[in-house]
Amino acid sequence: MTAEHRIRFLLNGQSRETAAASTTLLDFIRETERLTGTKEGCAEGDCGACTVVVTRVVNGEPVLEAVNACITLMGQVDGRAVTTVEGLLGPGRAAHPVQRLLAETDGTQCGFCTPGFVMSLHAFAQSGEAVTVENVHEALAGNLCRCTGYRPIVDTALGLAGPAREDATASPLGGLADSDVNVPGWHAPRTLADLLQLRAERPAAVLVAGATDLGLGPSRDRAPIVDAIDVTRVPELNDITETSTAIEIGAAVTYARALPHLDRLYPTLGTYLRRLGSRQIRNSGTIGGNLGTASPIGDSAPFLLALDAEIELASRAGSRHVAIADFFTGYRKTALKPDDVITTIRLPKLVDGDLFRCDKVSKRYDQDISNVAGTFRLRIEDGRVVEARLAYGGMAATPKRAMAAEACLVGGPFDAAAVDAAVAALPGDLAPIDDMRSTAAYRMAVAGNLLRRFLIAGPAPAGLEAMP
Amino acid sequence: MMLREDRSPRRYEAALKVRGAARFTAEIPVASMLHAALVLSPLPSGRVGRIDAGEALALPGIVRVLTHAEMPRIDRPGVLIPLQGPDVHHAGQPVALVAATTPAAARRGAASVEVAYERRPAILNLADGEPFAPKTAGRTATDSRRGDPETALRQAEVAIGRRYTTATNNHHPMEPQCVTAQWDGERLTVLTTTQAVFAHRLAIAECFGLRPEDVRIVSHYLGGGFGAKGGAWFPHLVMAIAAARVLGRPLRLELTREQMFTLTGRRQETVQDLKLGATKDGRLTAIVHESLAPTSMFGEYADALATVTRVLHACPNVATRQRLARVNAPQPNPARAPGEGPGSFALESALDELAYELDLDPLELRLRNIAAHDQHVDLPWSSNGLRECYRAGAASFGWARRPMRPGSLREGHQAIGIGMAAACYPAYRMASEAAVGIGADGRVKVRCGTQDMGSGTYTVLAQLAAEALGMSYAEVDVELGDSLLPEGPYSGGSMATASFTPAVETAARDLRGRLLALASADAASPLAGIAPERMSIADGMIRSGNRSEPVSELVARRAPQGLEARAGAAPEARPDFSAFGFGAVFAEVRVDSDLGEVRVSRLTAAYAAGRILNPLLARSQFVGGLIWGVGMALHEATVMDPHLGRVVGTSLADYLIPVHADMPAFDIHMVEEDEPRLGSGGVKGIGMLGTVGTAAAIANAVFHATGRRVRDLPIRVEHLLRPD
Ligand SMILES: Cc1cc2nc3c(=O)[nH]c(=O)nc-3n(C[C@H](O)[C@H](O)[C@H](O)COP(=O)(O)OP(=O)(O)OC[C@H]3O[C@@H](n4cnc5c(N)ncnc54)[C@H](O)[C@@H]3O)c2cc1C
Ligand code: FES
Ligand code: FES
């Protein structure tokens, strides 16, 4: 590739350059720029004290998103505008409406979480979403506060009702475009061909998508990523295409972008995805990354398994499709070869009469890793189940289908007797463990109860809106 | 009396905090400073052998690696100052400190230090320790006894005995602990996250053989504390100060979130046995409360688990007994409502169980046992608003409509339950000084060496001075968090406000008197010749009849350097009354029948806690306290590996503090009390009260929803969904 191009971006409206691609955005803000309004409370994406807003242009429109600066790497903000709590102040350091309201409702006590809340609230206000309690909870779920009990902060958010969206300064990016970064240790190819070539040439390099998993190294452990290939600037990996039978999602599409599509196509999946990480995490994290991490409790595997999704893998040798069931080959092992890149994930659409439901059970409602996640899909013809998919996360070393239980459902009507038989078969399919989050016995009981609930409370026919 | 939140002055420093302009400790630049990172022992018990720092020292930016061999000796019995010797007493104990030019370099250096250990046997579980009686339990006596509880229990018409347990908790303020130590010869400046500017000044001076005046401690803003930035932080503070001395350069140590599980104290786990005896009509005749909790191998700390048991309900025969056992774990220390939180869980759960034994409404049972005086010390109450709390809380909550039978309320696949508990917390006080001054520009300045953990100290100091002087709140400046100021109280035990209030009010009244005397004696003043008693100050104007003068003009003319009055206040040596704040908590929970998930949907609480200075901020404190109760009841547990002695899961993804969606609807009532006898100006503490009783109210509501009595905190889904 060509000569070095530094990372160029805007920080509170002013242009900045750096070559320190795998430095975290939080370190850059606090240490290099000495803007200390943004806080570090955990350095691992859990607390939201480091929340800043990143603006990028999508189809000519600015999109403002809250992200965790602690696990965002500088390479990721190339061509973007970063706003910190200091950047919200108006002329004469006048407080922004969000800041004024938060002070008025006593939404700040010790104040350490406050700048993060301010930025999440700002992104929320600018998103144009309806100001409802549910949306507010979702928008703020990634911000922890140990003092306030959150009520005054929620009140602040509700008080934001319909503020005119600011015309995020006439040209938010000041004409800044992706600068085709090429600095030591960070490659951001612009074409699939370049990506595949880099992948082949640099076997030791890591692929970086949203860095919500990978960012923990540079952040929490201060262990830099020495050689990174950023997959997110390749158009093919950012596409969402829909045909009459399937939706294809690029591996670098964030959860936040995929969510409205998946919400529309698959009942309950929107609710399920809104409980994956926090909004900050969903604004960066990708399904491709979730598959790349191959965690046994990764939340995308159960619905991908239940939908018989196909993963497209590409290398310089060409591309191939792998059924999701064949993708996970063992504990944290996948079918990815060293020079493979995940390019797209193909999810078949439901057909009329399909029953579908996903559930995630965790200790705390939001921002919590699943104890058990389950996704179920049934195809019913003439009152009989002709195809059953019961997929679980957190119930074995890999995300797993319960095939014996599936067999109990196929062939007859979907009724209590069939479900009882399937529940009885689950222990043969699944092997949960005791850990600090939960016990095996509880997990097994819940796995069965989720299936019962699918029958009683929630088999939402395809095409209907998600159940609340 | 209704308290108006909308008229409360807004939080003094809120405008800074929402702008991100409040400078926390880690953000204050210090020239030529080094950064520290810690090497921690993975073993819970052992002896440090060879430490190989060769690889670390070869890394860029590493300045030095310090071990116990290089550190100066500090004599401080009862606390484990790290790097004082080769012995390891708990996993996570620092065994080396890496100093580097950047935090990241220090961290990488620490990861490359190789330490050899000699492993030693360890006691990892409370049950394996040898119980002993601690010298005290918190600020109270270890054991207590009145009447003959054993006989009374034997003869009781109804008796129950149950065991309750609570988990280890960590405080996890959102701001991690930080210290920057800077030596200048025999003088020392310490910027740190401390809840006790003056107590730490004295203790640090003692450790290093300095005069207290030569040590300056600064803590302007604290990102929460909850007990974790007091005594538990002290040993690491001292370690960093000693390291800075060896290095001959300023040194900053910032803890990581992971280290906040082991280096900043913890709420003890508890095992509590509660026995109650009562008459058939629900009068308590006996209470026996015995508890066991862990302490570390080197220090002794016991939460006051029995305080609530001793005083809350009337009962002639009460015995309480608290024991500790040593384990190889970090030193426990006070956490919000230390003792009173877990202790009240046992007592108030047991009362609920007794109510079901008696088939008596749990609120009615409590109403039949209101204590007319403090039976523990045999003194009258300064006041006791518990009955009014019960009434106000129950009315607002709609308690009267509650069916007695568990499992009677359902909505879809949710079982609904409601439960309640009572609460109390002692009104403590300590000595405090404060100064109130006024400048020629008419601005008032309050100076007090206490600190603000987020509890509203800045606001209350400004408000007290403004009100006592007759100036407006907006004209007051506050200086706190610095040991160069008049000596203020530490922030703990809900006592800071009660301690400085009389000092500030006295100083402000003194200053007011001097201003009026000045005006009276000043021929140039329109008020010349008028007796001070006939003048008033309001909104910055001195007035008498139709004559007036702005305070600022008087000061500019007669005292251009400004005026300041200083005062001190100390608690009564032997008060002839007992002072507590009281409360009643009502909880509604929803339990998912299929999954066992519990959500608290409503919390109503009524508190009688003396004079409320700022209803808006007081409400925030009560809500904050209640949330801690929710966390204790449903989420928070520091899990220790029973074989390795390490914390399992050391992130905020593993240690669950409540999030937005866990928040119930809050309904807070404040019963204002007149407390002329309290030397605190009528103030009782409020910060802890909200965390007392709350976990029991929630557990009692879970029982009411499901018929399952959970006696072990936190309540887990497994408790409620036992596989059939
Ligand atoms: C606070 C927090 C909460 C979280 N909550 C959840 C949760 O509730 N549920 C859940 O499942 N996960 C959760 N996660 C984990 C994480 O967010 C997800 O796994 C996410 O999907 C990772 O995507 P990413 O784009 O950020 O991946 P990255 O961190 O960029 O990469 C992850 C891995 O995938 C590889 N990779 C990325 N893209 C490709 C590609 N195109 N081809 C091949 N390999 C690739 C990378 O090399 C790396 O090994 C959470 C993380 C955090 C920090
Ligand atoms: S510092 Fe906690 S999420 Fe970034
Ligand atoms: S105000 Fe203290 S953490 Fe939120």
Side-chain angles (χ1 to χ4, degrees), chain B residues 57 72 76 80 133 148 199 252 269 284 317 324 395 419 474 519 532 577 582 643 670-671 694 709:
Chain B
L57 287 168
R76 193 82 187 168
L80 178 73
D148 182 356
R252 173 171 296 167
E269 70 177 294
L284 286 168
N317 305 295
L324 291 177
F577 55 81
F582 290 92
H643 309 294
M670 288 174 246
V671 177
T694 311
R709 179 66 68 180

Side-chain angles (χ1 to χ4, degrees), chain A residues 236-274:
Chain A
E236 289 87 337
L237 270 64
N238 276 299
D239 282 345
I240 300 178
T241 50
E242 223 178 299
T243 64
S244 59
T245 55
I247 178 167
E248 277 194 22
I249 297 176
V253 172
T254 61
Y255 292 111
R257 272 187 65 217
L259 210 151
H261 299 273
L262 297 175
D263 196 14
R264 175 169 49 80
L265 294 174
Y266 306 100
T268 69
L269 185 52
T271 308
Y272 177 91
L273 286 176
R274 284 185 196 95

Side-chain angles (χ1 to χ4, degrees), chain A residues 107-114 117 144-148 153, chain B residues 174 223-224:
Chain A
T108 175
Q109 287 189 26
C110 80
F112 198 78
C113 67
T114 305
F117 274 102
L144 298 180
C145 174
R146 195 62 158 151
C147 303
T148 62
I153 302 174
Chain B
M174 293 316 297

Side-chain angles (χ1 to χ4, degrees), chain A residues 99-119:
Chain A
Q99 293 170 315
R100 275 206 306 276
L101 260 173
L102 205 55
E104 186 59 26
T105 56
D106 209 32
T108 175
Q109 287 189 26
C110 80
F112 198 78
C113 67
T114 305
F117 274 102
V118 166
M119 298 317 288

Side-chain angles (χ1 to χ4, degrees), chain B residues 423-441:
Chain B
C424 67
Y425 191 83
Y428 291 125
R429 257 178 90 198
M430 65 185 286
S432 173
E433 294 175 10
V436 180
I438 186 160
D441 55 359

Side-chain angles (χ1 to χ4, degrees), chain A residues 418-439:
Chain A
V419 168
D420 281 346
V423 170
L426 284 176
D429 284 324
L430 306 170
I433 53 160
D434 284 331
D435 64 12
M436 68 168 288
R437 287 174 195 286
S438 201
T439 61

Side-chain angles (χ1 to χ4, degrees), chain A residues 3 23-24 64 89 130 142 150 159 181 210 215 221 232 282 285 320 377 460:
Chain A
T23 296
T24 69
L64 284 76
L89 296 176
Y150 303 103
V181 180
D221 308 330
T232 63
R282 292 191 297 277
R320 65 187 201 279
R377 180 175 64 83

Side-chain angles (χ1 to χ4, degrees), chain A residues 26 39-51 68-71 142:
Chain A
L26 184 60
K39 307 299 179 202
E40 178 176 306
C42 70
E44 38 196 345
D46 292 322
C47 77
C50 64
T51 304
N68 294 127
C70 66
I71 50 170

